[in-house]
């Protein structure tokens, strides 16, 4: 069995059947020092959540493969072990862990209607201290395990073999977040906020607006009480989301504070009135620390998952990671776990909103380069539901400040060709913005070695773009 770390033949997918387990055990009885079958067993035990058997075989494998510094086999085992058994010392060796970066974190200002007289500044500062002291690697491991058990994860890592063959050069893979339920980034953030409440001994999580359905579901899984503040118009509308939240046991309240940010202000005031039992859960909305760091840690579960999948399939990390950037959390979800991995190139592709060039023949892009500190627009956007992920924009600026993130563009013609090729060769029609990131990745893959790996994040649904794609490709046929 080939266990060469840089072999490009993908390893066998995670197995579920008893017959394969027995076959591996019989092979190990004859050749106990062969790491390949033991690694296959560990993947089975991780997938089936069998910690006792996992630990037993990990202890045998450890001295066999850890002599090599940074052993890719052991790094895969350690990644799985930290999720399955967060407190097991065997999996906590510092050389095995790539931590996310932790740059300076400017504070989002409190809204004018929520002054220090309500204790908001002190409450946020105290929560930030608690998060830093109590929620380290064990918190992330517990989050990833919970997502694997009931959060619909993992998202597939798809090897685009036919497209890779046509492009030539490196192997192209797509991280298929688009196949998961919509608003996955929001679901990840809310799941982490509910887990934080549980670990801090809070019994109630409180939110507002569109984060309500995701929080109601997370609260039900964690045995928490959910309180959701909505505007009077939202409650009177009585749509399916309202009915779903009530079925999951959430308490729905009309916001007392006026204006579009009124529900969020009312939710925070609810928490400040009972801070010993309640935790504010703003989802992806901007808020002071620890929420920007917490959102980054939760949403980057996508990147942690991608690392594990690359180690399982290819026995190595990818050479190039590509995500679209702008008013979306894609880069925030994929890049942080790789920031301190010097062998991985991280590129954000600035995207335009259509498939045709502008009237002057130029392409117009949504700018990604943002100031490192919050600007006037950021201050006005605090807790506004209409804002385009204000917290995510600021965190993308932090990513840019690390110096690890490159930025690129691709022209509209390349994106159109990519959509046509991907649809014909892989049966996948990518959305317009994602297609631009994929087109740029293909251009780079063409000049890379066949043994190298390129991963592109697909996180947006294509449905919103299908008519424009069909019209534009037919027009340019």
């Amino acid at each position: 069995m080939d266990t060469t770390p840089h072999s490009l033949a993908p390893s066998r997918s995670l197995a579920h059947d008893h017959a394969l387990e027995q076959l591996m055990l019989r092979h190990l009885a004859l050749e106990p020092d062969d790491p390949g079958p033991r690694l296959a067993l560990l993947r089975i035990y991780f997938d089936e959540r069998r910690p006792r058997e996992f630990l037993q075989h990990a202890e045998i494998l450890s001295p066999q493969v850890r002599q090599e510094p940074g052993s890719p086999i052991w790094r895969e085992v350690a990644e799985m072990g930290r999720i399955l058994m967060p407190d097991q010392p065997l999996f906590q060796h510092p050389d095995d862990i790539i931590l996310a970066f932790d740059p300076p974190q400017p504070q989002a200002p409190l809204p004018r209607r929520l002054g220090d007289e309500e204790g908001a500044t002190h409450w946020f500062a105290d929560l930030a201290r608690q998060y830093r002291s109590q929620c380290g690697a064990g918190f992330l491991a517990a989050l990833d395990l919970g997502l694997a058990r009931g959060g619909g994860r993992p998202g597939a890592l798809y090897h685009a073999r036919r497209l890779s063959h046509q492009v030539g050069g490196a192997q192209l893979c797509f991280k298929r977040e688009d196949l998961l339920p919509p608003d996955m980034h929001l679901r990840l953030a809310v799941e982490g906020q509910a887990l934080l409440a549980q670990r801090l001994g809070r019994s109630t999580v409180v939110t507002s607006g569109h984060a309500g359905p995701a929080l109601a579901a997370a609260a039900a899984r964690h045995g928490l009480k959910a309180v959701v503040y909505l505007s009077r118009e939202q409650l009177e509308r009585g749509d399916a989301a309202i009915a779903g939240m009530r079925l999951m046991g959430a308490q729905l309240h009309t916001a007392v504070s006026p204006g579009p940010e009124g529900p969020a202000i009312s939710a925070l005031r609810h928490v400040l009135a009972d801070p010993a039992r309640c935790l504010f859960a703003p989802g992806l909305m901007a808020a002071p620390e620890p929420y920007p760091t917490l959102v980054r840690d939760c949403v980057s579960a996508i990147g942690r998952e991608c690392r594990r999948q690359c180690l399982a399939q290819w026995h190595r990390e990818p050479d190039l990671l590509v995500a679209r950037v702008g008013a979306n959390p894609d880069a925030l979800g994929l890049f942080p776990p790789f920031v301190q991995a010097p062998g991985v190139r991280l590129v954000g592709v600035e995207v335009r909103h259509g498939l045709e060039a502008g009237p002057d023949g130029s392409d117009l892009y949504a700018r990604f380069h943002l100031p490192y500190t919050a600007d006037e627009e950021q201050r006005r956007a605090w807790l506004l539901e209409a804002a385009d992920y204000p917290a995510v924009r600021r965190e993308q600026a932090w990513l840019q400040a690390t110096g690890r993130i490159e930025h690129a563009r691709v022209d509209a013609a390349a994106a159109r060709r990519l959509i046509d090729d991907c649809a014909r060769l892989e049966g996948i029609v990518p959305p317009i913005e994602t297609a631009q990131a994929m087109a740029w990745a293909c251009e780079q893959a063409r000049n890379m070695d066949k043994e190298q790996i390129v991963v592109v994040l697909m996180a947006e649904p294509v449905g919103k773009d299908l008519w424009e794609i069909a019209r534009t490709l037919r027009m340019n046929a």
Side-chain angles (χ1 to χ4, degrees), residues 427-445:
I428 297 171
V429 181
I432 291 172
E433 293 185 3
T434 299
Q436 295 169 61
M438 295 167 71
W440 186 89
C442 287
E443 292 177 355
Q444 297 300 303

Side-chain angles (χ1 to χ4, degrees), residues 383-465:
L383 288 175
L384 286 175
E385 300 242 1
D388 287 332
Y389 297 118
V392 171
R393 284 180 176 272
R394 184 174 62 180
E395 288 160 0
Q396 286 180 342
W398 297 346
L399 281 169
Q400 180 180 328
T402 67
R404 282 281 284 119
I405 312 301
E406 304 173 42
H407 303 96
R409 296 177 179 177
V410 69
D411 61 40
R416 291 195 297 268
R417 289 194 300 271
L418 180 281
I419 293 175
D420 184 61
D421 289 343
C422 195
R424 287 187 301 102
L425 297 172
E426 301 293 345
I428 297 171
V429 181
I432 291 172
E433 293 185 3
T434 299
Q436 295 169 61
M438 295 167 71
W440 186 89
C442 287
E443 292 177 355
Q444 297 300 303
R446 187 172 291 112
N447 299 315
M448 296 169 66
D449 295 335
K450 185 177 180 181
E451 293 76 19
Q452 293 183 289
I453 303 161
V454 177
V455 176
V456 185
L457 179 62
M458 295 183 64
E460 54 173 341
V462 70
K464 62 184 177 59
D465 293 340

Side-chain angles (χ1 to χ4, degrees), residues 21-93:
E21 179 185 358
Q22 294 305 309
L23 178 63
M24 295 297 102
L25 289 172
R26 286 197 296 271
H27 183 96
L28 288 172
L30 298 173
E31 298 185 43
D33 294 332
D34 187 349
R38 204 171 300 278
L39 180 60
L41 271 178
L42 287 167
R43 291 171 180 157
I44 295 172
Y45 297 145
F46 172 76
D47 190 57
E48 296 181 354
R49 303 295 180 260
R50 295 162 64 180
R52 182 187 305 174
E53 293 91 339
F54 186 95
L55 181 60
Q56 175 188 347
H57 286 273
E59 288 173 337
I60 297 172
L61 183 64
S62 175
Q64 297 175 351
V65 300
R66 290 183 74 176
Q67 294 87 351
E68 176 190 350
S71 164
I73 294 177
W74 182 252
R75 287 173 68 182
E76 177 186 349
V77 173
E79 287 277 354
M80 294 187 291
R82 278 191 290 273
I83 293 177
L84 203 56
M85 290 164 283
D87 299 322
Q88 173 52 242
L90 179 65
F91 308 117
Q92 297 303 321
H93 194 281

Side-chain angles (χ1 to χ4, degrees), residues 228-232 235 253-259 261-267:
V228 182
Y229 279 85
L230 302 166
S231 67
R232 186 175 303 279
L235 275 172
H253 296 288
T254 304
V256 176
S257 300
E261 74 274 31
I265 298 297
S266 296

Side-chain angles (χ1 to χ4, degrees), residues 206-352:
V206 187
T207 193
S208 63
H210 77 290
L215 184 68
R221 287 194 296 272
H222 288 277
L224 301 171
K225 174 183 172 183
V227 175
V228 182
Y229 279 85
L230 302 166
S231 67
R232 186 175 303 279
E233 294 76 14
Q234 289 172 317
L235 275 172
E236 290 176 350
R237 197 179 307 141
D239 57 15
I242 300 292
M245 285 188 283
R246 285 187 168 131
L247 283 170
M248 288 183 278
Q251 292 185 4
L252 308 185
H253 296 288
T254 304
V256 176
S257 300
E261 74 274 31
I265 298 297
S266 296
L268 189 50
R269 282 182 168 149
H270 183 117
V271 172
L272 295 173
D274 191 4
R277 289 190 297 177
C278 297
L279 185 77
F280 185 45
L284 287 171
M285 290 186 292
E289 281 295 316
Y291 289 100
T293 301
L294 176 58
V295 167
R296 181 203 69 197
D297 291 346
C298 297
V299 173
S300 62
I302 295 170
R304 294 193 298 274
E305 187 178 283
C306 182
R307 286 189 69 244
R308 291 192 295 272
Q309 290 172 319
C310 286
L311 289 170
Q313 291 188 25
W314 308 102
H315 302 297
R316 55 177 298 191
E317 291 175 330
D319 298 277
L320 172 62
L321 284 180
V322 182
R324 62 181 181 137
V325 292
N328 63 74
D330 286 15
L332 186 66
L334 187 62
F335 289 161
F338 296 91
V339 165
Q340 294 190 32
V344 183
R345 185 181 175 195
L346 310 177
V347 179
V349 176
E350 296 174 348
V351 295
R352 64 190 318 280

Side-chain angles (χ1 to χ4, degrees), residues 63 79 98 125 139 142 153 165 175 195 247 250 288 337 339 373 380 423 427:
E79 287 277 354
I98 294 183
F139 174 79
R153 308 215 53 97
H165 179 73
K175 185 73 172 102
L195 177 61
L247 283 170
V339 165
T373 56
R380 290 199 305 269

